[in-house]
Amino acid sequence: MRSESNEDLLSKRIDKALERKKGENKKLIDEKTLVNVFSRLATELLAGLLIGAGVGWTIDTWLGTTPWFLVLFFLLGGVAGILNLWRVVSGKGLKIGYFN
């Protein structure tokens, strides 16, 4: 009977230690998650702008129309970047099949 109480005591001590560790890990995970979200937001916006500007510059050099397509596709890239930001912030871009 003594061994059962020792096992119960050990079990309680382990559970207590795991709960304390879980609380510390949760804070660390929340900070890492926040950094990951902010870096993803910056990457989404920057990628939209750079790809839009690159496409516009390529079309301008191909057609010989200097600033027009660069400006147009830079603005379209910005709109696409902001749309991607909205998807990340609203949580719609984080799961598969978010159109359902």
Side-chain angles (χ1 to χ4, degrees):
M1 203 165 196
R2 176 104 172 125
S3 65
E4 291 179 1
S5 64
N6 285 340
E7 289 175 6
D8 291 338
L9 181 62
L10 180 62
S11 174
K12 288 178 184 178
R13 288 180 64 190
I14 290 172
D15 289 341
K16 187 176 179 181
L18 288 176
E19 286 178 16
R20 183 175 32 195
K21 186 72 173 171
K22 187 188 296 185
E24 293 171 2
N25 285 343
K26 179 144 178 66
K27 182 179 178 185
L28 185 63
I29 289 171
D30 288 342
E31 291 172 0
K32 285 183 180 179
T33 303
L34 191 60
V35 170
N36 288 340
V37 169
F38 282 140
S39 64
R40 180 171 177 193
L41 292 175
T43 303
E44 294 281 348
L45 185 59
L46 188 63
L49 290 172
L50 289 178
I51 290 173
V55 168
W57 180 76
T58 303
I59 292 173
D60 275 336
T61 56
W62 184 46
L63 296 177
T65 58
T66 304
W68 296 109
F69 285 104
L70 175 66
V71 172
L72 176 68
F73 278 93
F74 184 79
L75 293 174
L76 287 176
V79 170
I82 291 172
L83 179 63
N84 287 337
L85 291 180
W86 178 252
R87 287 180 181 162
V88 170
V89 171
S90 66
K92 292 183 178 180
L94 300 177
K95 54 189 171 226
I96 297 174
Y98 58 86
F99 289 113
N100 293 334

